[in-house]
Amino acid sequence: MVWRVQPLKLLLLLLVMVGVALSATDADAARKKKRRHAAPPAPYVEKYAAIVLEANSGRVLYERMSTELRYPASLTKMMTLYLLFEQLQKGSVTLSTPLTASPYACSQEPTKLGLKSGETVSVEDAIRALVVRSANDVAVVVAEHLGGSEHQFAARMTAKARELGMANTVFTNASGLPDTSQRSTATDLAQLSRRLIIDFPQFYPYFRGQSFYWGGRSFEGHNNLLKFFDGADGLKTGYTRMSGFNLASSATRKGTRLVAIVMGGRSARDRDIQTAELLEQEFSKLGLGRPTPVIMAMSPLVLD
């Protein structure tokens, strides 16, 4: 009797051991499969990039990670404005041409002007709204008027980027609202800044605007360097959580104009101070520095 029971127990024990081994193997395989299918790490973990160049010649004076892909955020609107300035120059639109807001344009996420469907805004007010307010709804209004749809306009934006030598830039929308496919580099955005200055001297002064009045409201701009940095004369700010705080800046001293791009700042104040320090550093090398240090008193609460 004992002799018969022992083999049975042995068999059961072997079966249990095999089951445990198979379960472990299955669990290990499942873990490996999960690792294989895990989402890739988020792109552009390192957000910072910077470049300073001499505007007339395009000569690079300073750069750090300037060709690495970054999210442009509202620096995108510089290309939207470039294409709008082109149409103004050609006479296809005038500063008084009314642009009509669609339901889609009105549905854009803030920051925006707050247009209602069917409401119109003149081209000149649209320019000011893009520069000062960084209005996402207005960016789409411009895109739809010039391109038929934002998607078609974005294709034109990318084509123009290639024409301007911006080899690493892709636009998918007119505003800079978050999109993982929309990308650029500090080098490309510096080139775009230069071309805005060189190609449209009659329209570039709009980038100096610090306030904008429309619809009974007054809007204040986000470009603090215009208030605090000697010689600063314009361009654009940008911010999304994906991009960090971006700034395209131009400053002129004694006829020498420098363009600086800083991307991925940790705050608006951090971005502004970095930009000011880089510009001051390069002006100093050219013999155009200031004897007193750059003093920045910008609020850290600015979000674009």
Side-chain angles (χ1 to χ4, degrees):
M1 185 70 178
V2 174
W3 179 256
R4 291 178 181 175
V5 173
Q6 287 178 338
L8 181 59
K9 287 182 178 180
L10 181 60
L11 179 60
L12 290 172
L13 180 60
L14 289 172
L15 289 173
V16 169
M17 292 174 65
V18 170
V20 169
L22 288 174
S23 297
T25 301
D26 290 343
D28 185 56
R31 282 193 296 272
K32 290 181 180 178
K33 183 177 181 181
K34 185 177 181 180
R35 284 198 296 269
R36 284 199 303 271
H37 292 86
Y44 319 132
V45 173
E46 173 58 71
K47 298 177 182 180
Y48 183 79
I51 189 170
V52 181
L53 50 79
E54 197 277 317
N56 290 332
S57 66
R59 180 168 63 98
V60 175
L61 306 177
Y62 170 90
E63 60 180 337
R64 182 182 175 195
M65 295 185 285
S66 65
T67 59
E68 297 297 317
L69 293 176
R70 298 289 184 258
Y71 294 123
S74 283
L75 300 193
T76 296
K77 294 183 177 77
M78 293 196 297
M79 181 58 84
T80 301
L81 285 161
Y82 189 100
L83 293 179
L84 180 56
F85 292 160
E86 271 194 334
Q87 296 309 306
L88 278 167
Q89 202 167 64
K90 292 176 181 178
S92 301
V93 297
T94 68
L95 290 173
S96 60
T97 298
L99 309 176
T100 303
S102 69
Y104 173 68
C106 298
S107 72
Q108 299 303 298
E109 294 294 321
T111 303
K112 58 186 183 178
L113 198 58
L115 294 168
K116 296 178 175 60
S117 181
E119 192 170 11
T120 62
V121 59
S122 71
V123 165
E124 185 166 31
D125 283 340
I127 293 169
R128 292 194 174 109
L130 292 175
V131 172
V132 177
R133 179 62 173 167
S134 199
N136 295 324
D137 52 354
V138 175
V140 175
V141 169
V142 170
E144 291 178 335
H145 186 89
L146 298 183
S149 71
E150 186 179 27
H151 177 74
Q152 292 173 312
F153 186 74
R156 288 174 58 181
M157 293 169 73
T158 301
K160 179 58 66 174
R162 295 295 175 275
E163 184 181 320
L164 297 179
M166 301 166 64
N168 296 306
T169 296
V170 173
F171 293 112
T172 58
N173 63 50
S175 64
L177 281 169
D179 186 324
T180 55
S181 297
Q182 183 141 301
R183 63 185 187 271
S184 189
T185 67
T187 293
D188 282 4
L189 292 168
Q191 174 66 358
L192 175 57
S193 300
R194 280 189 69 237
R195 293 298 296 268
L196 281 164
I197 294 164
I198 294 169
D199 296 349
F200 306 109
Q202 71 275 44
F203 301 128
Y204 177 72
Y206 283 112
F207 285 106
R208 298 173 184 155
Q210 298 183 50
S211 62
F212 165 64
Y213 188 83
W214 188 86
R217 294 180 60 191
S218 180
F219 301 97
E220 293 298 317
H222 307 135
N223 192 346
N224 295 306
L225 259 67
L226 292 171
K227 303 172 185 176
F228 296 100
F229 188 80
D230 182 27
D233 57 27
L235 294 184
K236 189 76 187 71
T237 62
Y239 168 76
T240 67
R241 290 178 64 186
M242 286 166 47
S243 70
F245 290 83
N246 297 343
L247 177 61
S249 188
S250 166
T252 305
R253 292 181 184 173
K254 294 184 179 180
T256 297
R257 183 193 295 274
L258 303 185
V259 168
I261 305 293
V262 169
M263 308 183 76
R266 291 170 293 181
S267 68
R269 180 181 175 83
D270 175 66
R271 164 199 71 190
D272 295 342
I273 291 175
Q274 288 186 51
T275 304
E277 288 178 342
L278 286 174
L279 285 169
E280 192 64 42
Q281 169 186 291
E282 298 309 321
F283 273 128
S284 294
K285 291 177 182 178
L286 297 171
L288 299 170
R290 293 292 178 257
T292 55
V294 178
I295 299 174
M296 309 299 288
M298 286 145 309
S299 168
L301 300 178
V302 178
L303 293 180
D304 199 1

